């Protein structure tokens, strides 16, 4: 008897409609094994974190984000690198995710992928993001990376990831992530 698909929440760290990372996330959904079933979170309407706002109750976009994380078996974050680090909008969303009665990210398997026009992709951002994710007590997949460098050369005019090596790396990462997330789900609570 096979297990039901793992519900993965895709989060893009860029707000641009035609962001290479939004396109990378679309490629991940396209290349994902059947064991992964995706939904997407939009973080652009989440207000800047403010303890005074939190004290008055979570704004609707924060509640929706919390609910999406709680319903997911795991997260896949596709993010650009801004000034060698995490985009503010993504960090803000994660700051809100850390708030509430319980830590909703605790024990969630997380994969991190990214595209940048620089030669080393999003390596520095991913290192910083992992620190934040560890603090949120997620279980970041320990092996494998998707660092799509020189990304404008890797996508076509319609935003499709066309570079075969990048597609191969991404597909392999997703297979490993499916195994990782299934292993995490099978562990006793």
């Amino acid at each position: 008897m096979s297990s039901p698909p793992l519900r993965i929440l895709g989060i893009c760290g860029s707000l641009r409609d035609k962001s290479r990372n939004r396109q990378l996330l679309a490629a991940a959904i396209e290349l994902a094994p059947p064991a992964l079933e995706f939904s997407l979170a939009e973080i652009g309407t989440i207000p800047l974190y403010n303890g005074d706002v939190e004290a008055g109750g979570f704004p609707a976009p924060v509640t929706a984000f919390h609910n999406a994380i709680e319903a997911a078996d795991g997260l896949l974050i596709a993010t650009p690198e801004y000034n060698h680090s995490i985009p503010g909008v993504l960090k803000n969303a994660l700051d809100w995710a850390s708030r509430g009665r319980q830590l909703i990210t605790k024990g969630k398997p997380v994969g991190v992928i990214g595209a940048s026009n620089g030669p080393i992709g999003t390596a520095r951002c991913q290192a910083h993001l992992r620190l934040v994710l560890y603090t949120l007590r997620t279980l970041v997949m320990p092996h494998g990376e998707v660092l799509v460098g020189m990304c404008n050369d890797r996508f076509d005019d319609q935003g499709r990831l066309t570079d075969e090596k990048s597609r191969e790396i991404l597909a392999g990462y997703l297979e490993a992530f499916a195994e990782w997330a299934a292993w995490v789900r099978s562990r006793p609570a």
Side-chain angles (χ1 to χ4, degrees), residues 59-81:
V62 174
T63 298
F65 188 54
H66 269 243
N67 291 343
I69 291 172
E70 285 182 309
D73 295 313
L75 311 175
L76 181 66
I77 300 172
T79 186
E81 180 173 298

Side-chain angles (χ1 to χ4, degrees), residues 62-189:
V62 174
T63 298
F65 188 54
H66 269 243
N67 291 343
I69 291 172
E70 285 182 309
D73 295 313
L75 311 175
L76 181 66
I77 300 172
T79 186
E81 180 173 298
Y82 292 172
N83 298 314
H84 298 188
S85 193
I86 307 163
V89 68
L90 177 59
K91 178 65 167 68
N92 181 63
L94 295 174
D95 288 343
W96 272 110
S98 73
R99 309 306 298 171
R101 296 182 319 277
Q102 63 183 24
L103 186 58
I104 59 171
T105 53
K106 181 181 177 185
K108 296 274 183 188
V110 179
V112 179
I113 61 177
S116 169
N117 209 32
I120 62 169
T122 57
R124 293 168 293 218
C125 171
Q126 288 193 28
H128 290 180
L129 182 54
R130 286 173 181 268
L131 291 173
V132 172
L133 292 169
Y134 295 145
T135 302
L136 298 179
R137 300 188 63 191
T138 68
L139 300 172
V140 181
M141 192 167 91
H143 301 291
E145 294 179 311
V146 176
L147 306 166
V148 180
M150 310 307 286
C151 67
N152 287 336
D153 299 333
R154 313 269 185 247
F155 292 83
D156 66 16
D157 292 340
Q158 286 73 48
R160 187 170 183 277
L161 181 63
T162 54
D163 180 70
E164 285 307 316
K165 186 65 176 171
S166 297
R167 290 177 67 82
E168 178 184 317
I169 290 168
L170 180 57
Y173 182 87
L174 293 165
E175 287 286 343
F177 181 66
E179 291 175 19
W180 167 250
W183 177 80
V184 169
R185 180 167 68 178
S186 72
R187 294 175 45 229

Side-chain angles (χ1 to χ4, degrees), residues 23-47:
Q23 294 166 352
L24 183 61
L25 194 53
I29 293 168
E30 172 196 343
L31 297 171
L36 301 179
E37 180 179 278
F38 282 87
S39 62
L40 298 175
E42 289 299 330
I43 60 175
T45 59
I46 295 174

Side-chain angles (χ1 to χ4, degrees), residues 4 8 58 122:
I8 305 301
F58 283 180
T122 57

